[in-house]
């Protein structure tokens, strides 16, 4: 399944500025709040918080190599916290802690997989159950935030109004929230595997 909508970037930045957090923190809190409400309505809210992975850049100021220098680390969505402000602060703190740990030299999952021989990675993928994949990634779902153009774009003279992203699902992770900022909005696409969600 796939659903989509647009959010006001100005409203997101207002929350960001009020709590001294990042736009990504606010988007994670919005996803968390949506999921928490959905799970409460179905009496399915787990006692432990759901988690997602965030990309963390490994580049330094001196790094001018042309390559992807990024890894992914799991962070809390704080779905176990009822207070939305406490939820936002917990997400922000966990994201900041995760970035510091990785930038301090710890290896992320992406880096570990890159050091493995291709045959071993293929074998792991082929023999991993959805539950094991979720545990290995340390995540229950995918949330990604892509910074898009802050200027209007055109195709054959027609102005592009929205960019609803439709992203992929990974084994064991049956829901993907992808957010793309565009001019004064954030377009959100949610891809769902109905058999897993």
């Amino acid at each position: 399944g796939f659903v989509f909508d647009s959010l006001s970037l100005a409203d997101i930045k207002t929350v960001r500025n009020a709590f001294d957090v990042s736009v990504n923190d606010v988007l994670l809190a919005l996803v968390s709040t949506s999921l928490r409400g959905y799970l409460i309505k179905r009496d399915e809210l787990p006692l432990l918080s759901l988690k997602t992975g965030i990309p963390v850049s490994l580049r330094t100021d001196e790094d001018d190599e042309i390559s992807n220098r990024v890894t992914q680390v799991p962070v809390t969505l704080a779905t176990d916290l009822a207070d939305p402000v406490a939820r936002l602060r917990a997400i922000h703190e966990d994201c900041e802690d995760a970035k510091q740990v990785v930038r301090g030299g710890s290896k992320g999952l992406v880096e570990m997989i890159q050091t493995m021989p291709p045959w071993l990675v293929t074998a792991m993928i082929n023999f991993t159950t959805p539950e094991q994949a979720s545990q290995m990634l340390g995540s229950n779902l995918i949330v990604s935030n892509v910074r898009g153009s802050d200027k209007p774009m055109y195709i054959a003279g027609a102005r592009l109004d929205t960019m609803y992203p439709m992203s992929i699902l990974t084994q064991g992770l049956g829901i993907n929230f992808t957010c793309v900022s565009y001019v004064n909005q954030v377009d959100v696409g949610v891809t769902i595997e109905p058999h897993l969600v």
Side-chain angles (χ1 to χ4, degrees):
F2 179 68
V3 296
F4 53 87
D5 205 348
S6 296
L7 307 169
S8 164
L9 184 56
D11 289 349
I12 291 168
K13 287 181 175 179
T14 297
V15 175
R16 174 198 67 185
N17 295 337
F19 294 99
D20 193 27
V21 296
S22 71
V23 166
N24 195 60
D25 295 335
V26 176
L27 288 169
L28 289 174
L30 286 169
V31 168
S32 173
T33 300
S34 298
L35 285 171
R36 180 180 164 80
Y38 175 86
L39 292 167
I40 286 172
K41 283 181 187 173
R42 285 153 184 78
D43 199 28
E44 294 285 335
L45 182 68
L47 292 176
L48 297 177
S49 174
L50 296 177
K51 290 190 167 205
T52 190
I54 62 166
V56 177
S57 173
L58 300 173
R59 289 196 180 279
T60 63
D61 292 338
E62 299 81 33
D63 189 353
D64 59 359
E65 184 181 328
I66 298 174
S67 67
N68 288 332
R69 297 275 299 136
V70 67
T71 191
Q72 183 167 323
V73 292
V75 294
T76 188
L77 287 175
T79 51
D80 56 327
L81 300 177
D83 178 31
V85 173
R87 195 175 316 123
L88 175 60
R89 288 196 169 120
I91 289 168
H92 172 72
E93 288 171 16
D94 202 35
C95 287
E96 290 302 307
D97 290 348
K99 291 174 193 172
Q100 293 304 319
V101 167
V102 170
R103 290 178 183 150
S106 293
K107 298 280 188 209
L109 178 66
V110 173
E111 289 176 292
M112 286 188 272
I113 289 174
Q114 288 173 343
T115 62
M116 299 169 123
W119 64 267
L120 183 55
V121 174
T122 301
M124 283 176 50
I125 291 169
N126 290 338
F127 294 106
T128 301
T129 67
E131 293 79 17
Q132 291 168 327
S134 177
Q135 289 174 351
M136 282 174 40
L137 294 170
S139 300
N140 304 102
L141 64 143
I142 300 165
V143 183
S144 57
N145 173 27
V146 179
R147 184 176 180 174
S149 175
D150 58 354
K151 306 248 186 306
M153 296 190 300
Y154 296 84
I155 299 173
R159 185 178 193 265
L160 180 66
D161 289 331
T162 57
M163 271 195 268
Y164 296 125
M166 183 176 204
S167 199
I168 60 170
L169 296 172
T170 302
Q171 180 165 317
L173 306 179
I175 188 166
N176 180 323
F177 286 82
T178 301
C179 310
V180 177
S181 63
Y182 175 58
V183 187
N184 57 1
Q185 66 198 33
V186 175
D187 297 325
V188 181
V190 185
T191 309
I192 300 164
E193 168 49 64
H195 301 295
L196 291 178
V197 177

